[in-house]
Amino acid sequence: MKGLEGVKQVVVIGLGMTGLSVVNHLLRNPQPLDIKVIDTREHPPGREHLPESVALCSGYWQMDWLMAADLIVSSPGIALAIPQLQQAATAGIEIVGDIELFARAVDKPVVAITGSNGKSTVTSLVGEMAKEAGINVGVGGNIGFAALDMLAQDHDLYVLELSSFQLETTSNLSLNAAAYLNLSEDHMDRYPGGLAQYSAAKMRIFDHAELAVFNRDDLATKPEVDGSELEQVSFGLNTGNSDSTERYGLVMHQGEEWLAVAGEPVMPSTDIALVGRHNVANSLAALALADAVGIEREAACRALRRYNGLAHRCQLVAEQHGVKWVNDSKATNLASTLAALNGLQLNGRLHLLVGGDGKGADFSELAPILATLDTQLYCFGRDGEQFAPLVSQPVMVETMEQAMSHAAQTARAGDMILLSPACASFDQFANFMVRGDTFVELALSLQHQVGQDS
């Protein structure tokens, strides 16, 4: 297997879905390998699926295994700075991640996406565009399927979401196109060097890319190389320019806003099924990646009109009597809710559901953007009262169900009922997924009641 020449002993750090995918990949190597797994959890997930031929050490570090390895494959959740891996690195033992193994084995086109926000949406959207074009595509990495598991399916195109953690241990990933969507503070506990160190990890996505796609509205995403060394294009929520890297943007055409490539209109932005201004930018990024691997433009546009998003991320879940119900339960912090509201364009009123476990956050930053929208605010959950000062007449309730019932009775055609709570869910739900699933279930039952008090 390419990239494993001369390797005899491999230690995999961390089990779970990624660790199992690494083990199964290594077991497919033509020359047998001595494979061992170390997981510091007492009962690591997936241990029941581990072949008997693979030794497992759980609950502690088996350092003699580690130091005898020819190759260490570490889970992205384990920082390279920890003493055990530093000791191995000092001894000259190569440490890689599952994406590096993928890079050494893949022989088909690959595009990859990173960024602080939106990378799951763009990854899924490019995958949908490829499917719409009839391409046998694998979509995974930091989302969905483990990258190495997809190799066994022999896809014709791979679309990967990559986190900064995954990129830290990846050095040879050749990409037809790579996109860096945006940068904001996250995982600062992993990066003592702050935002610069975090961004440097993400910049590794461009190291072996043929085309770099960056966000001209967030120049921290622009590759730190001379333009002659790497072909670059950008996307942004402005007109762009056909004579430069600014190829993907917006133009006014036939009296409305259209997505455009090199200044030529492609489709109205209002035709995008995804909700929110940030998803207009995400759609432009996806178009750039689709163009890079030859996905037919008509197929890409059909996907944009059809794909309504990942569950719990600005997901349109119901529409009746002209009222849209949107599930953004994944918005568990202020920044996510701000992203959902920024540039939101409605013909009617926004019925915004907020609240839950606020984690001590200050929500005052929401006030200016709420002032630009015709908003009815519904506040629920443990910290719902913290949102009350943001608007003049909030509706205060105990539960999300009560908030949705009030909204259903007052909403009219052109309105949107949006769950984007800016809070964690743990006060009333097991997690944000359960909260979102509950919203969807209630939306489907309540949508018929819209406007019944008139």
Side-chain angles (χ1 to χ4, degrees):
M1 188 177 293
K2 186 171 67 173
L4 293 176
E5 298 84 356
V7 172
K8 295 181 179 179
Q9 298 191 60
V10 184
V11 174
V12 178
I13 309 296
L15 202 51
M17 182 182 75
T18 299
L20 284 172
S21 74
V22 171
V23 169
N24 292 329
H25 175 74
L26 295 172
L27 288 171
R28 293 192 290 268
N29 191 54
Q31 300 299 319
L33 297 169
D34 180 2
I35 307 167
K36 295 181 173 68
V37 177
I38 298 174
D39 194 306
T40 57
R41 294 169 289 189
E42 290 288 346
H43 303 286
R47 63 185 302 171
E48 67 276 13
H49 301 299
L50 198 63
E52 292 183 4
S53 61
V54 177
L56 170 66
C57 170
S58 57
Y60 65 99
W61 286 93
Q62 185 80 33
M63 289 304 297
D64 57 335
W65 287 6
L66 203 66
M67 300 307 293
D70 300 311
L71 178 70
I72 295 171
V73 186
S74 183
S75 164
I78 300 172
L80 292 175
I82 66 170
Q84 293 85 354
L85 291 183
Q86 283 294 298
Q87 184 178 341
T90 300
I93 302 170
E94 185 179 19
I95 304 172
V96 302
D98 68 308
I99 302 302
E100 177 64 18
L101 293 183
F102 174 91
R104 297 179 185 186
V106 70
D107 59 359
K108 299 291 177 60
V110 185
V111 298
I113 300 96
T114 195
S116 298
N117 297 294
K119 55 185 178 292
S120 295
T121 295
V122 174
T123 301
S124 300
L125 187 49
V126 176
E128 292 300 312
M129 290 174 169
K131 292 174 187 176
E132 195 72 41
I135 297 171
N136 176 14
V137 62
V139 180
N142 195 48
I143 179 179
F145 295 102
L148 291 171
D149 284 346
M150 294 193 298
L151 283 179
Q153 306 301 315
D154 195 28
H155 295 289
D156 295 321
L157 170 67
Y158 295 92
V159 184
L160 302 181
E161 173 187 325
L162 298 179
S163 69
S164 59
F165 297 173
Q166 289 169 312
L167 287 164
E168 286 176 17
T169 52
T170 303
S171 302
N172 296 285
L173 181 60
S174 296
L175 298 170
N176 293 68
Y180 184 175
L181 302 178
N182 46 60
L183 176 67
S184 61
E185 284 195 357
D186 204 358
H187 308 299
M188 289 298 101
D189 54 339
R190 174 91 166 228
Y191 297 104
L195 200 61
Q197 185 183 10
Y198 172 49
S199 184
K202 289 191 172 295
M203 280 289 174
R204 292 170 66 93
I205 199 170
F206 294 135
D207 285 354
H208 301 283
E210 295 178 14
L211 174 71
V213 178
F214 69 92
N215 182 353
R216 62 177 173 272
D217 296 327
D218 186 350
L219 290 178
T221 66
K222 184 174 170 53
E224 298 171 345
V225 296
D226 183 81
S228 62
E229 299 176 37
L230 175 68
E231 185 182 357
Q232 301 179 28
V233 297
S234 68
F235 65 94
L237 297 178
N238 57 20
T239 303
N241 188 325
S242 61
D243 297 325
S244 71
T245 64
E246 301 179 4
R247 290 180 55 80
Y248 295 85
L250 302 171
V251 297
M252 292 301 296
H253 179 64
Q254 297 177 347
E256 60 180 331
E257 182 185 82
W258 284 52
L259 305 188
V261 179
E264 294 298 319
V266 172
M267 63 177 281
S269 62
T270 53
D271 283 3
I272 298 170
L274 290 166
V275 175
R277 195 66 175 167
H278 59 302
N279 279 322
V280 176
N282 288 337
S283 298
L284 289 165
L287 273 178
L289 293 168
D291 285 350
V293 289
I295 295 173
E296 296 173 359
R297 180 67 57 73
E298 289 185 5
C301 290
R302 287 197 301 271
L304 287 173
R305 291 185 173 96
R306 177 182 56 78
Y307 180 62
N308 62 6
L310 295 163
H312 317 301
R313 294 171 173 87
C314 283
Q315 176 194 21
L316 178 63
V317 297
E319 184 172 5
Q320 192 165 2
H321 304 306
V323 175
K324 294 180 177 180
W325 298 72
V326 178
N327 169 25
D328 191 33
S329 184
K330 183 66 166 63
T332 58
N333 56 44
L334 173 66
S336 296
T337 298
L338 284 170
L341 297 179
N342 186 37
L344 191 64
Q345 296 176 332
L346 288 174
N347 294 324
R349 177 169 252 204
L350 173 66
H351 301 261
L352 178 62
L353 282 59
V354 294
D357 179 359
K359 300 176 288 186
D362 176 5
F363 300 108
S364 60
E365 286 185 50
L366 284 171
I369 195 166
L370 291 177
T372 67
L373 299 164
D374 179 7
T375 306
Q376 177 61 66
L377 198 64
Y378 302 82
C379 310
F380 68 93
R382 177 189 301 164
D383 294 323
E385 72 280 356
Q386 294 190 25
F387 294 87
L390 301 177
V391 297
S392 59
Q393 292 182 312
V395 175
M396 308 300 298
V397 293
E398 291 295 324
T399 68
M400 184 180 73
E401 181 176 4
Q402 292 169 344
M404 294 176 70
S405 179
H406 277 283
Q409 293 170 31
T410 57
R412 298 291 181 271
D415 290 3
M416 175 187 292
I417 299 172
L418 170 64
L419 171 68
S420 189
C423 291
S425 58
F426 302 123
D427 60 327
Q428 296 185 347
F429 301 93
N431 50 50
F432 76 83
M433 293 87 79
V434 174
R435 178 172 63 189
D437 290 340
T438 303
F439 176 87
V440 173
E441 182 180 350
L442 290 169
L444 294 175
S445 63
L446 288 170
Q447 63 179 334
H448 307 289
Q449 300 178 21
V450 168
Q452 285 190 0
D453 70 337
S454 59

